Amino acid sequence: MSWRKDQRRAERGYHHGNLKEALLQAALDLIGQKGPAGFTFADAARMAGVSPAAPYRHFRDRDELIASIAQRGFEQFESVLTQAWDDGRPDTVSAFERVGKAYLAFAREEPAFYSAMFESGLPVDSNPTLMAASERAFAIIRAAAERLAALAPPGQPRPPAMMMALHIWAMSHGVASLFGRGDAARRKLPMSPEELLEAEVLIYLRGLGFPTDRKPGPPPLDEKPAGPWGKPK
């Protein structure tokens, strides 16, 4: 295909408002294939079927292109976590369990977005829009941790909600990155990633003094202390 044909296709995409979306999709596909560091700005242009100069109409450079993908990823991530949390209904522990499963599901089902969000090496704090999207997603985990911290057993010091949110986020992220993304080279587990995360959080909460024994039967009122992956006591 000649350069002139490439140029005409780029111009058509630009005038129809499709160039930006084509570049974002091309970069997302490349991230899925090669990782966020495995392609150039020119590679994204080539995959989108436009000239090497065309991407500069919408993005300053490759980092800005990846940041836009990461922002979209965080926006989708926020939506997924919000739906899973459902404002803590029907009870804190059940909702908290759903958040953990949703975290792992997003990493498994949207690996390219997840990679752009957490593995691109971009300084999030240098991009206010990206930072805001990231903070909104983390706010769901913090809200869940605040509700959980409020269920601390009588006589036990109530742990700071931010500390709990960061610890639980780190555990979720570790399981998702190491075992929950369907990577062919990942270490095989004798359990599912969801079961691994559940066990980690149970051990963590037990160390904070939360009762974590599972009890059969219908769950009592939400105000009772409980571990997030079992039922309230």
Side-chain angles (χ1 to χ4, degrees):
M1 181 177 289
S2 71
W3 180 84
R4 288 184 180 278
K5 289 182 179 179
D6 281 342
Q7 185 183 42
R8 284 198 295 270
R9 181 158 58 168
E11 291 293 334
R12 285 199 302 271
Y14 176 73
H15 288 304
H16 285 286
N18 296 326
L19 176 59
K20 183 176 183 179
E21 291 303 317
L23 289 167
L24 287 168
Q25 185 58 56
L28 189 65
D29 291 343
L30 286 167
I31 291 171
Q33 296 170 18
K34 303 179 179 183
F39 67 96
T40 65
F41 210 24
D43 291 334
R46 190 177 305 112
M47 177 167 275
V50 299
S51 70
Y56 292 98
R57 292 169 172 160
H58 292 286
F59 302 102
R60 181 181 64 254
D61 52 25
R62 176 182 168 281
D63 283 354
E64 187 173 51
L65 174 60
I66 295 177
S68 295
I69 293 172
Q71 178 188 332
R72 290 194 176 189
F74 276 116
E75 289 168 352
Q76 292 186 30
F77 193 43
E78 178 196 2
S79 177
V80 166
L81 295 183
T82 298
Q83 183 177 6
W85 174 236
D86 193 26
D87 198 29
R89 290 184 285 263
D91 59 79
T92 298
V93 293
S94 297
F96 196 80
E97 180 181 15
R98 290 197 307 268
V99 170
K101 291 179 178 179
Y103 196 114
L104 298 183
F106 183 87
R108 181 171 56 249
E109 295 166 9
E110 301 290 352
F113 275 123
Y114 190 84
S115 187
M117 291 155 59
F118 295 115
E119 298 168 358
S120 63
L122 297 178
V124 176
D125 55 359
S126 68
N127 186 317
T129 306
L130 177 58
M131 172 65 95
S134 171
E135 288 298 315
R136 287 193 300 270
F138 178 72
I140 308 303
I141 300 174
R142 181 171 182 177
E146 287 174 349
R147 295 275 191 93
L148 187 63
L151 302 181
Q156 291 285 344
R158 179 173 295 181
M162 175 58 85
M163 179 196 76
M164 291 186 67
L166 289 171
H167 288 173
I168 292 168
W169 174 42
M171 285 186 278
S172 303
H173 184 71
V175 172
S177 296
L178 291 172
F179 306 112
R181 294 172 56 186
D183 300 328
R186 69 182 176 87
R187 187 179 182 89
K188 302 301 182 184
L189 290 175
M191 63 188 76
S192 69
E194 288 78 10
E195 290 169 336
L196 178 61
L197 180 58
E198 176 182 342
E200 285 188 15
V201 175
L202 284 172
I203 293 169
Y204 171 71
L205 292 173
R206 191 172 297 145
L208 292 175
F210 283 78
T212 55
D213 293 336
R214 297 172 183 268
K215 299 292 184 181
L221 295 176
D222 190 37
E223 287 75 11
K224 298 290 183 180
W229 308 97
K231 296 296 183 182
K233 291 183 72 179

